[in-house]
Amino acid sequence: MFGADPIDIFDPSPYSAIAYYGHFVLGTVALLAVFTALAVKKGKGLHRQAGLTFLFACAGLALTNISLLMEQFIAPLMMGAITSLAAMGGAYLALQARTMQVRAGEMALAAAQLAGLIWFLSIAIPEAASGNIPIIAPIVIAIIPLILLAGDVNWMLRPERQRQMRVARHLSRMIWAFVVVLRAPLVEFAAAGLPIPGPVVVIGPIGLGAVMIWYFQRRYGGSPFGKTA
């Protein structure tokens, strides 16, 4: 339930070949799209096209991930699917007009993220207490959902600042979705025997996400907590 399933590119069993190889293709597309979106001028046509491509690729990744997990369930990967959908959904809705439907969508995403985290911890904590998994494992996996939930609370409690916060919220959520997408193959490749140092797999993507947010805040100003935070 918690062990990584080592990648064998030539043998998709016990999974569906369409879902297995489709997951690889969508992951590659997602990473290329987010690198493009972060590299080009913000707000222009290519940036928007790359962002939408990343959005749809992440949705496809989550769906194929769920399909794969129906064959062999791994709790952290399900948590990753929930987190990436919550992050990408929040990134998209942050730039939309503040209608009742958009607000309801944001609340639904936050509720799904909270429910997913509670479900995951209800499985992970007993496993860690029994010594079946390192205690650090559920902590690392829970960090990004907790960051997203903290941002949700801040966003919903400060409606008067949302116009100033919307771009920073969009950017930070895109980055955390990218971190989730990046971390999954690192775990799988390490499980397959590639010599990737443990700290790189465990905290490397989260550290990269934090550095990326710091860089873009300095470049464009503002933060997910507003211009003056």
Side-chain angles (χ1 to χ4, degrees):
M1 182 177 290
F2 274 83
D5 180 30
I7 289 175
D8 183 349
I9 193 67
F10 301 108
D11 181 15
S13 62
Y15 307 115
S16 159
I18 293 176
Y20 187 77
Y21 292 117
H23 196 73
F24 278 99
V25 172
L26 287 168
T28 302
V29 170
L31 290 175
L32 292 175
V34 75
F35 282 131
T36 302
L38 292 171
V40 301
K41 188 172 183 179
K42 306 299 177 282
K44 299 300 181 181
L46 182 56
H47 172 78
R48 293 181 179 179
Q49 291 171 6
L52 284 174
T53 300
F54 183 56
L55 174 66
F56 288 121
C58 279
L61 279 170
L63 292 176
T64 54
N65 193 19
I66 291 171
S67 174
L68 297 173
L69 293 176
M70 290 175 68
E71 298 294 337
Q72 182 170 339
F73 185 74
I74 302 174
L77 297 185
M78 178 62 82
M79 189 70 249
I82 295 170
T83 302
S84 64
L85 286 176
M88 283 305 307
Y92 174 78
L93 292 177
L95 299 183
Q96 307 309 306
R98 307 307 301 154
T99 65
M100 184 179 298
Q101 291 83 357
V102 167
R103 296 178 191 275
E106 290 175 336
M107 292 182 67
L109 286 172
Q113 179 72 95
L114 178 60
L117 181 60
I118 292 172
W119 162 80
F120 171 73
L121 292 177
S122 72
I123 298 173
I125 291 175
E127 290 287 324
S130 300
N132 295 328
I133 60 172
I135 187 63
I136 190 65
I139 294 174
V140 169
I141 294 168
I143 287 175
I144 297 178
L146 288 171
I147 291 173
L148 295 179
L149 287 168
D152 287 334
V153 171
N154 176 69
W155 176 254
M156 294 175 187
L157 291 180
R158 302 174 71 181
E160 76 285 354
R161 301 293 302 278
Q162 287 178 357
R163 181 178 293 274
Q164 291 76 30
M165 296 162 60
R166 59 199 293 265
V167 173
R169 175 177 169 85
H170 167 80
L171 178 61
S172 66
R173 300 237 148 191
M174 286 283 286
I175 289 173
W176 289 123
F178 159 71
V179 167
V180 174
V181 172
L182 177 64
R183 181 169 61 186
L186 284 179
V187 172
E188 296 293 334
F189 287 131
L194 290 183
I196 304 175
V200 172
V201 177
V202 175
I203 63 173
I206 294 175
L208 176 62
V211 170
M212 291 171 69
I213 290 175
W214 173 82
Y215 169 77
F216 284 111
Q217 284 178 9
R218 287 179 61 87
R219 181 170 180 179
Y220 296 107
S223 77
F225 293 91
K227 285 286 186 181
T228 60

